[in-house]
């Protein structure tokens, strides 16, 4: 009897293509050699276009990926494009693996990844999310992948702000959204997605108001205010007013509570207004940002023709509407004037307060809000946490998406002040001398904030970023007046970058232990003692002259200040300057400056230099790797930075495994 069962190749081309779309890319390349028909089907551009969409969520802007998708499939060689991305992945993974395994040359390898832009995001996120807690380098891999990803986002943000410098009319949502690339560890949405979200909201508004084109400016403004209140897209509860994440546009748009400060509420109003044909701009009004709505030329707010009226005869209330989206109401000039009187602003200085606010000024106000919040609450993560259910139970965002990083926020706010503040961007002849001292103080505070953030958190990833975007601000070659500020700052920042790059070439000294110490691994082989209230047995400090008792990776609690930390380096004697030792009162210590001193990383993410007599080793039953994403967890702060120096936690030896063996090879 003839065998009549259907064969795979008997299926129509459309069905075969659908089946092939589920085959991994590696399998597709093997299918080309099976038969001519499959080989022909595998040349269809629609198949490879879908593979590009499925394989990578993030694409650098140079690819113009969204525009390519909107064009005919045959206009792009999708197979070649996918091949380029996969080749890039292999190169970037090799650079990342090498940067994790060795300190020497780390800057260059990470820089290679950062320069790929958003093409690097998928592979970095995969290294963060898919690395098992059992991996030999889990701490180091998650840390360096996360830090590199943060640098990619910061570079993207600074590129947006660079375009703002060249075009003052650059889209408002992209400028303010770029700040979020600093604030949030992994932003809720990209800037392109943010713009698309505003397009969607504008479409919703148009659908609810089909007669929009027939409405006056006042009616549009009132309807838009009501729309935003209906969907709870403006305002914030009083108890949540001071949270750092309320400076993020995507939080206001996408989170469950939709919290937003007055400034962000105003930005949301203006961005949607622009898309529905309503002219609305942020206002220079101090303290509480509102919007200025103006009608089309020749009309008043109610749509009446005033083109033939003399300008002096038209009342300002007919042509200017002040809207407060945060409160969902309109404001009269009398109300605003009363507020200015309450603020103590003289009448002859109020005109500026009623004028539109530039995008640059609005960005600077956002930076000031962030710095003010951090001054009032400190840099504790628990003050900045987005709640676990902030994006709803159906959100695909992992926990780390919801973590607002205060150090990155301050770093970004400082960058804004340096890039756009008057002190480094205005000719001396344009300065009001009464304001010059205040501008100078703000600039120096911003420079200190940038420098501190760079030294503590970003020096391994941001050298090229600082050199590209910040150094030119201080460059005297761009100035006509030698007396302009910036010369000393340029020298200091250039030296800061030079020192970091020299350090990257390799350790300046290798610290070796005595042979007897270098071969000892197990605590039982040394003299032992039990630390009070811990029930834990530990090596006691050696009395031998010149020896170092504790190893890189030792977890400890400071005997005096009680913070927790881990040792990431040591010197046999104090190597700091006499001035530092005098300021720290080192000579008052029982063992003075001749005892061993340890480089440590503390649970507040700071790095310190601690005398051996203040080290009290501790033992923990288990290291919770997941605590790196839970700010209220006691191990949170230490685990967020531990990967900078350690590969993983060794539960048997109760110690971190060193990843700084170039400088301390015996540990």
């Amino acid at each position: 009897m003839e065998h009549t069962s259907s064969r795979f190749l008997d299926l129509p081309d459309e069905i075969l293509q659908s089946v092939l779309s589920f085959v991994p890319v590696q399998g597709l390349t093997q299918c080309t050699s099976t038969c001519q028909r499959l080989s022909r089907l595998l040349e269809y551009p629609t198949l490879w276009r879908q593979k590009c969409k499925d394989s990578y969520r993030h694409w650098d802007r140079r690819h113009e990926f969204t525009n390519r998708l909107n064009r005919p499939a045959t206009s792009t060689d999708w197979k070649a494009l996918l091949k380029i991305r996969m080749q890039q992945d292999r190169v970037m993974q090799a650079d990342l693996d090498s940067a994790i395994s060795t300190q020497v040359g780390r800057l260059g390898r990470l820089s290679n990844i950062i320069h790929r832009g958003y093409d690097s995001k998928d592979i970095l996120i995969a290294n963060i999310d898919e690395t098992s807690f059992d991996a030999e380098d889990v701490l180091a891999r998650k840390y360096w992948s996360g830090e590199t990803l943060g640098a990619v986002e910061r570079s993207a943000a600074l590129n947006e702000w660079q375009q703002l410098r060249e075009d003052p009319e650059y889209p408002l949502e992209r400028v303010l959204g770029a700040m979020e690339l600093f604030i949030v560890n992994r932003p809720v949405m990209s800037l392109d997605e943010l713009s698309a979200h505003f397009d969607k909201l504008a479409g919703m508004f148009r659908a609810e108001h089909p007669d929009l084109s027939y409405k006056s400016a006042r009616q549009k403004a009132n309807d838009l205010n009501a729309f935003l209140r209906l969907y709870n897209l403006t305002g914030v509860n009083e108890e949540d007013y001071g949270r750092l994440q309320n400076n993020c546009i995507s939080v206001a748009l996408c989170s469950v509570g939709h919290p937003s400060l007055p400034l962000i509420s105003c930005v949301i109003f203006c961005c949607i207004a622009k898309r529905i044909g309503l002219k609305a701009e942020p206002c220079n009004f101090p303290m509480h940002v509102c919007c200025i709505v103006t009608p089309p030329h020749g009309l008043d707010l109610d749509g009446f023709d005033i083109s033939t009226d003399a300008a002096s005869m038209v009342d300002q209330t007919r042509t200017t509407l002040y809207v407060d989206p945060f409160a969902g109401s309109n404001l009269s000039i009398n109300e605003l004037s009363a507020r200015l009187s309450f603020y103590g602003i003289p009448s002859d200085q109020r005109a500026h307060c009623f004028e539109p606010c530039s995008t640059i000024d609005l960005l600077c106000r956002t930076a000031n809000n962030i710095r003010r919040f951090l001054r009032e609450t400190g840099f504790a993560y628990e003050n900045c946490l987005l709640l676990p259910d902030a994006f709803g139970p159906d959100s695909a965002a992992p926990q780390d998406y919801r973590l607002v990083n205060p150090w990155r926020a301050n770093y970004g706010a400082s960058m804004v002040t340096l890039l756009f503040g008057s002190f480094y961007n205005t000719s001396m002849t344009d300065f009001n001398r009464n304001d010059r001292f205040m501008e100078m103080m703000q600039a120096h505070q911003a420079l200190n904030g940038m420098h501190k953030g760079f030294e503590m958190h970003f020096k391994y990833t941001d050298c090229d970023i600082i050199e590209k975007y910040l150094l030119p601000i201080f460059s005297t070659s761009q100035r006509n007046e030698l007396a302009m500020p910036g010369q000393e700052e340029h020298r200091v920042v250039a030296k800061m970058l030079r020192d970091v790059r020299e350090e990257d070439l390799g350790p300046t000294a290798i610290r070796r232990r005595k042979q007897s110490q270098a071969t000892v691994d197990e605590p039982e082989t040394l003299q032992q003692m039990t630390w009070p209230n811990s029930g834990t047995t530990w090596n006691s400090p050696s009395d031998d002259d010149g020896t170092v008792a504790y190893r890189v990776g030792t977890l400890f609690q400071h005997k005096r200040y009680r913070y927790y930390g881990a040792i990431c380096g040591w010197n046999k004697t104090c190597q700091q300057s006499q001035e530092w030792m005098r300021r720290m009162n080192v000579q008052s210590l029982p063992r003075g400056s001749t005892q061993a001193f340890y480089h440590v990383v503390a649970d507040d993410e700071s790095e310190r230099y601690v005398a051996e007599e203040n080290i009290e080793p501790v033992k923990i039953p288990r290291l919770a790797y997941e605590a790196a994403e839970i700010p209220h967890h006691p191990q949170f702060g230490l685990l967020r930075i531990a990967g900078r120096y350690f590969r993983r936690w060794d539960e048997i030896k109760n110690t971190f495994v060193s990843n700084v063996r170039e400088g301390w090879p015996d540990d």
Side-chain angles (χ1 to χ4, degrees):
M1 178 182 295
E2 184 180 355
H3 187 64
T4 60
S5 61
S6 298
R7 296 189 308 157
F8 175 70
L9 292 178
D10 290 336
L11 297 172
D13 284 357
E14 293 78 7
I15 301 298
L16 287 176
Q17 278 193 314
S18 178
V19 172
L20 290 173
S21 68
F22 293 96
V23 178
V25 174
Q26 293 80 359
L28 289 178
T29 58
Q30 297 173 356
C31 288
T32 58
S33 59
T34 57
C35 70
Q36 291 183 351
R37 187 182 178 200
L38 285 183
S39 179
R40 175 177 55 82
L41 291 176
L42 289 173
E43 294 301 319
Y44 277 44
T46 52
L47 173 64
W48 295 103
R49 180 176 64 180
Q50 188 61 43
K51 282 299 177 184
C52 285
K53 289 176 62 178
D54 295 342
S55 300
Y56 296 99
R57 180 186 174 191
H58 304 96
W59 291 80
D60 195 68
R61 295 186 70 181
R62 69 177 182 273
H63 295 297
E64 298 183 338
F65 188 70
T66 302
N67 291 336
R68 289 173 184 261
L69 292 176
N70 295 329
R71 295 197 292 262
T74 54
S75 64
T76 297
D77 188 343
W78 295 100
K79 185 177 181 180
L81 184 60
L82 182 61
K83 182 178 180 181
I84 290 172
R85 285 297 306 267
M86 296 178 69
Q87 288 174 338
Q88 283 185 351
D89 280 1
R90 289 190 288 270
V91 173
M92 288 188 290
Q93 187 64 56
D95 279 334
L96 181 63
D97 292 343
S98 183
I100 291 170
S101 64
T102 179
Q103 295 172 269
V104 179
R106 178 175 284 157
L107 291 185
R109 296 182 180 93
L110 296 182
S111 180
N112 291 340
I113 300 173
I114 295 167
H115 286 167
R116 303 280 187 178
Y118 270 29
D119 281 357
S120 65
K121 286 190 66 172
D122 287 283
I123 195 166
L124 291 172
I125 290 173
N127 275 271
I128 297 170
D129 294 344
E130 298 174 13
T131 299
S132 167
F133 290 144
D134 296 328
E136 283 296 311
D137 58 0
V138 54
L139 289 175
R141 185 165 298 279
K142 286 179 176 288
Y143 175 82
W144 288 113
S145 298
E147 290 302 299
T148 307
L149 179 60
V152 170
E153 298 287 12
R154 290 191 292 275
S155 182
L158 287 163
N159 183 63
E160 296 291 324
W161 293 340
Q162 182 66 30
Q163 295 187 61
L164 174 63
R165 292 176 65 87
E166 299 168 359
D167 177 14
E169 301 300 320
Y170 197 67
L172 181 58
E173 72 271 11
R174 296 188 71 91
V175 173
L176 270 294
M179 179 62 80
E180 189 170 332
L181 303 185
F182 276 87
I183 296 176
V184 183
N185 269 3
R186 283 161 60 180
V188 178
M189 59 176 68
S190 69
L191 298 183
D192 290 338
E193 291 169 336
L194 181 62
S195 295
H197 195 88
F198 275 114
D199 293 340
K200 177 182 176 181
L201 290 174
M204 290 171 56
F205 181 83
R206 287 183 179 278
E208 294 182 15
H209 299 84
D211 57 344
L212 185 65
S213 60
Y214 301 102
K215 292 188 175 183
S216 67
R218 190 190 305 274
Q219 290 172 320
K220 291 179 181 178
N222 291 337
D223 288 346
L224 180 55
N225 229 342
F227 173 83
L228 295 178
R229 300 300 289 181
L230 175 65
Y231 290 99
N232 195 29
L233 293 175
T234 55
V236 63
N237 296 328
E238 184 176 351
E239 60 270 21
D240 294 327
Y241 188 92
R243 288 186 177 273
L244 181 59
Q245 61 264 28
N246 296 340
N247 290 280
C248 300
I249 299 179
S250 65
V251 173
L253 294 177
C254 302
S255 67
V256 173
H258 301 290
S260 68
L261 298 178
L263 187 150
I264 299 300
S265 296
C266 178
V267 170
I268 293 173
F269 184 95
C270 291
C271 290
I272 299 178
K274 182 178 180 180
R275 288 164 166 80
I276 63 171
L278 176 65
K279 185 178 180 181
E281 302 170 279
C283 181
N284 267 325
F285 201 82
M287 304 295 290
H288 189 98
V289 181
C290 58
C291 300
I292 304 175
V293 173
T294 53
H297 180 71
L299 300 177
D300 69 3
L301 288 167
D302 295 308
F304 294 111
D305 189 353
I306 57 173
S307 60
T308 59
D309 297 348
S312 59
M313 299 296 293
V314 179
D315 187 0
Q316 185 182 4
T317 58
R318 293 182 62 189
T319 59
T320 306
L321 178 66
Y322 293 93
V323 180
D324 182 4
F326 181 80
S329 62
N330 298 335
L331 300 168
S332 69
I333 293 180
N334 289 337
E335 287 179 285
L336 295 173
S337 297
R339 291 187 187 182
L340 294 177
S341 296
F342 179 77
Y343 298 153
I345 299 177
S347 301
D348 59 349
Q349 298 180 18
R350 295 180 184 176
H352 176 69
C353 300
F354 292 94
E355 297 174 352
C357 176
S358 71
T359 302
I360 287 178
D361 288 340
L362 204 64
L363 178 60
C364 290
R365 288 183 73 158
T366 302
N368 291 336
N369 286 341
I370 291 171
R371 282 203 299 273
R372 181 167 56 250
F373 168 85
L374 294 173
R375 282 197 303 268
E376 294 173 356
T377 64
F379 287 73
Y381 278 85
E382 54 264 27
N383 296 327
C384 312
L385 177 66
L386 286 173
L387 300 178
D389 60 349
F391 296 97
D394 299 327
S395 171
Q399 175 74 15
D400 202 40
Y401 263 89
R402 303 159 186 152
L403 191 60
V404 176
N405 190 311
W407 295 103
R408 294 183 183 180
N410 187 63
Y411 189 59
S414 300
M415 287 284 197
V416 167
T417 300
L418 294 172
L419 289 169
F420 298 104
S422 300
F423 194 66
Y424 294 117
N425 296 280
T426 306
S427 172
M428 288 182 64
T429 57
D430 294 333
F431 269 112
N432 180 330
R433 291 191 177 277
N434 294 328
D435 297 333
R436 181 167 174 76
F437 179 75
M438 182 64 69
E439 294 283 356
M440 181 182 69
M441 291 298 295
Q442 289 179 350
H444 286 180
Q445 289 173 2
L447 188 61
N448 288 336
M450 182 281 296
H451 188 274
K452 183 177 180 180
F454 180 85
E455 287 290 343
M456 287 184 62
H457 297 281
F458 311 117
K459 67 180 182 179
Y460 299 105
T461 57
D462 282 22
C463 281
D464 290 348
I465 294 174
I466 297 293
E467 186 171 59
K468 178 178 179 180
Y469 293 103
L470 201 57
L471 268 187
I473 301 299
F474 304 135
S475 176
T476 56
S477 63
Q478 295 187 4
R479 305 179 182 280
N480 297 323
E481 305 160 22
L482 294 178
M484 279 294 289
Q487 299 179 59
E488 179 62 17
E489 288 89 338
H490 186 281
R491 185 190 67 79
V492 171
V493 174
K495 183 179 185 302
M496 175 183 78
L497 299 177
R498 187 166 58 252
D499 290 346
V500 172
R501 284 166 171 156
E502 289 178 357
E503 178 185 337
D504 182 59
L505 298 177
T508 56
I510 297 177
R511 287 82 174 181
R512 303 304 301 257
R513 291 182 176 274
K514 289 184 177 181
Q515 189 62 31
S516 59
Q517 281 193 314
T519 56
V520 174
D521 285 325
E522 298 300 328
E524 299 82 73
T525 61
L526 295 178
Q527 181 184 0
Q528 298 178 338
M529 65 178 294
T530 300
W531 292 94
N533 304 320
S534 68
T536 304
T537 301
W538 283 94
N539 306 332
S540 66
S542 171
D543 292 329
D544 293 340
D545 182 42
T547 61
V548 179
Y550 307 117
R551 296 177 176 273
V552 170
T554 299
L555 185 65
F556 73 93
Q557 186 174 28
H558 195 282
K559 289 184 180 179
R560 180 177 179 183
Y561 298 115
R562 310 312 296 168
Y563 64 80
Y564 289 90
I567 295 173
C568 55
W570 49 259
N571 300 112
K572 292 186 177 181
T573 60
C574 183
Q575 298 298 302
Q576 294 289 349
S577 66
Q578 290 295 323
E579 171 61 23
W580 184 91
M581 287 190 280
R582 183 192 63 78
R583 192 170 66 252
M584 295 293 109
N585 203 20
V586 171
Q587 296 306 320
S588 67
L589 296 173
R591 295 170 61 189
S593 62
T594 58
Q595 63 183 304
F597 272 71
Y598 297 86
H599 300 279
V600 307
V601 55
D603 55 10
D604 63 354
E605 298 193 39
S606 64
E607 296 184 15
R608 310 187 184 195
Y609 199 51
V610 181
E612 186 171 273
E613 63 186 69
N614 285 323
I615 298 290
E616 182 176 319
V618 295
K619 185 173 184 178
I620 56 176
R622 171 182 175 270
L623 190 76
Y625 286 116
E626 65 276 9
E629 299 173 358
I630 308 174
H632 297 286
H633 196 287
Q635 299 174 11
F636 168 80
L638 189 57
L639 276 176
R640 284 201 67 81
I641 198 173
R644 185 184 296 177
Y645 300 104
F646 310 116
R647 297 179 63 80
R648 60 178 176 83
W649 174 257
D650 188 328
E651 290 191 0
I652 297 177
K653 297 181 180 179
N654 199 74
T655 184
F656 288 104
V657 177
S658 172
N659 200 30
V660 290
R661 293 188 181 275
E662 287 91 344
W664 292 270
D666 299 325
D667 287 25

